[in-house]
Amino acid sequence: MIENERAALADSLWTATAHAAPDCPPLAGATEADVVIVGGGFTGLSAALHLAEAGQRVILLEAETPGWGASGRNGGQVNPALKPDPDDLVARFGADLGRRMVSRWGDGGRLVFDLIARHGIDCDARPVGFLRTATNTRGLAMLREIARQWRAHGADYDDLDAAETARLVGAEAYLGAVIDRRGGNIHPLNYALGLAHAAIRAGAVLHGHSRAIGFEDEGAGVMVRTARGQVKARRALVCTNAYTGPFGGALGRSVVPVTSVQVATAPLSDNVIRGILPEDQAPTDTRRLIQYYRKTADGRFVMGGRGARGEAGTRRRQQELRQAAEALFPQLRAADWVHAWGGDVAMTVDSLPGLHRLSPNVMAGLGFNGRGVANATVMGTILADWVLGVPEDALDFPVTPVRPIPFHSLRSAGVALTIGAYRLLDSFNR
């Protein structure tokens, strides 16, 4: 594994404050199951939990440890919806499927918080709503339209003026905002570890340090291989997201990994933290290179954003985030910034996840465009539906062929150019 990935994880606040991980010994030898799951992030863990609760014999293979990838490194915002607006989904997929998608995926926040409550997952859950702040008039108009559409579909979604936004943020930096009351924030790694513990209690078997290296269909079943063992199952699920690599053939070329980075302070004194985010929301703004931030249960401040390439670019972006945090909240200028880390999120061309049947007995779900806490959890339930016999045309998401992104091998250069252009446009549009 790339060494700077390991260094980033080692410096993560979430790793430093994580609960004990379950015992997940490497797979050794041959075994059998009803379903084998490749990937131990939110998607795979959600699928494992729901299938085990349904009485399936589940084996999960994780290349590292549960929550190692983006699931354990993200900002922990629970953004309860797909990225395209509800009207877009209905127009594209029709009244039946489109409305089912709006309902199922719009309930992603409720699913996350219900799982946390039902399984007693200790992950600093805060169901305080998902706050999006506008940095310019165009962004504010966009947010207002999103809120209007979601209210038409029954969501608890409010417009906020500049004064109310300033009160919730603790700074007069935005023209206004919207808040989706279905969302909130969590400690992401502890949520992943909690799902892993819950899946094991339900009967699933989890194997860490067991990288899947290939699969073959075998009549009515499938064989998934690792370096030290193999699992024969009726069906297999591939839940590897931005860390898919060559597994699954062209699957990894259907998404573009984009690095998201974060920085965090040491615990702050009451006189410093007082007034910052008084109701504990975790705002995301409307910049093209978005910025997001939050407080933690032990009084730290975390600032995150997208748009880093390579180690030098990651360090530079992290310093930009410290400076942005101190500009927004001058009381942070004396804070000690003690953590800095990052990881890859999987972006897609159409801003929608992909649900792909790789072979008669293998289904993959990936590509959450930075909204993985809720959306990956939902995708796990949809993959579970498929394993349990729900026909493809009755799933609450369309099954499509894998569509590799053209010139995918040039993605690093393309991402770097896009980041530069977005940075320039953001500077013009503040």
Side-chain angles (χ1 to χ4, degrees):
M1 192 55 60
I2 300 172
E3 286 307 311
N4 66 339
E5 283 270 5
R6 293 196 183 280
L9 184 58
D11 202 23
S12 164
L13 168 64
W14 309 132
T15 303
T17 56
H19 300 316
D23 183 26
C24 301
L27 176 69
T31 187
E32 296 186 3
D34 293 319
V35 57
V36 56
I37 299 171
V38 179
F42 294 145
T43 311
L45 294 169
S46 172
L49 172 58
H50 287 91
L51 286 167
E53 288 183 324
Q56 297 285 298
R57 293 177 301 150
V58 178
I59 291 178
L60 183 147
L61 305 174
E62 162 56 39
E64 298 287 340
T65 55
W68 183 89
S71 293
R73 305 190 212 178
N74 63 81
Q77 291 94 344
V78 182
N79 185 351
L82 293 167
K83 191 169 184 180
D85 300 338
D87 289 359
D88 293 340
L89 293 174
V90 173
R92 178 173 174 179
F93 298 105
D96 178 34
L97 177 57
R99 291 185 184 279
R100 285 192 283 122
M101 291 169 67
V102 169
S103 176
R104 179 77 169 264
W105 295 77
D107 276 343
R110 186 175 298 110
L111 172 65
V112 168
F113 291 116
D114 283 351
L115 286 172
I116 290 167
R118 181 155 59 91
H119 295 284
I121 298 174
D122 181 8
C123 61
D124 301 329
R126 298 286 190 273
V128 292
F130 179 69
L131 182 66
R132 294 193 66 190
T133 56
T135 57
N136 55 53
T137 54
R138 180 179 179 182
L140 183 60
M142 175 193 70
L143 295 180
R144 295 280 189 263
E145 174 59 17
I146 292 171
R148 182 196 67 77
Q149 290 187 30
W150 274 112
R151 283 195 295 269
H153 286 269
D156 190 359
Y157 218 122
D158 293 330
D159 297 336
L160 306 179
D161 62 18
E164 179 63 6
T165 302
R167 187 188 71 80
L168 290 179
V169 172
E172 296 182 357
Y174 303 105
L175 301 181
V178 296
I179 187 167
D180 186 343
R181 306 287 181 185
R182 302 169 297 178
N185 52 82
I186 59 171
H187 184 304
L189 181 51
N190 280 337
Y191 173 55
L193 295 174
L195 290 176
H197 282 291
I200 291 170
R201 288 195 300 270
V205 176
L206 275 57
H207 291 289
H209 302 291
S210 302
R211 182 180 300 278
I213 57 177
F215 69 87
E216 296 89 28
D217 272 295
E218 296 188 341
V222 61
M223 182 75 75
V224 176
R225 294 176 286 105
T226 72
R228 297 178 56 193
Q230 59 188 31
V231 181
K232 184 175 182 179
R234 183 172 57 86
R235 285 189 165 175
L237 302 176
V238 180
C239 309
T240 45
N241 208 36
Y243 293 86
T244 298
F247 188 86
L251 181 65
R253 301 197 301 276
S254 69
V255 298
V256 175
V258 174
T259 302
S260 188
V261 298
Q262 295 165 74
V263 292
T265 69
L268 301 167
S269 64
D270 288 344
N271 65 318
V272 172
I273 203 72
R274 186 184 302 116
I276 296 177
L277 301 169
E279 296 186 9
D280 291 334
Q281 280 85 15
T284 295
D285 65 25
T286 55
R287 289 177 175 86
R288 291 169 178 85
L289 294 180
I290 64 168
Q291 293 179 359
Y292 51 88
Y293 49 93
R294 59 178 294 185
K295 295 189 302 187
T296 63
D298 60 352
R300 302 171 189 265
F301 185 85
V302 180
M303 188 81 173
R306 303 229 190 102
R309 298 300 302 174
E311 186 172 357
T314 294
R315 302 304 177 196
R316 183 168 56 250
R317 181 64 170 145
Q318 287 168 338
Q319 180 57 24
E320 291 173 354
L321 292 171
R322 295 184 191 99
Q323 293 169 347
E326 292 167 3
L328 185 61
F329 301 108
Q331 59 268 50
L332 295 176
R333 289 173 184 163
D336 292 327
W337 294 91
V338 295
H339 292 282
W341 70 100
D344 288 347
V345 298
M347 310 299 285
T348 62
V349 172
D350 62 0
S351 298
L352 280 169
L355 181 61
H356 309 301
R357 195 162 188 175
L358 304 185
S359 74
N361 302 310
V362 182
M363 189 77 83
L366 77 172
F368 303 109
N369 298 281
R371 299 180 175 218
V373 176
N375 285 346
T377 305
V378 173
M379 180 63 84
T381 68
I382 289 176
L383 290 169
D385 287 345
W386 176 72
V387 170
L388 294 172
V390 176
E392 288 186 13
D393 59 4
L395 296 172
D396 291 332
F397 199 84
V399 178
T400 59
V402 175
R403 297 187 179 92
I405 297 170
F407 308 108
H408 191 269
S409 62
L410 303 177
R411 68 183 187 274
S412 293
V415 168
L417 289 172
T418 301
I419 288 170
Y422 281 0
R423 182 174 283 110
L424 184 62
L425 289 168
D426 282 339
S427 69
F428 288 154
N429 291 328
R430 285 171 187 157

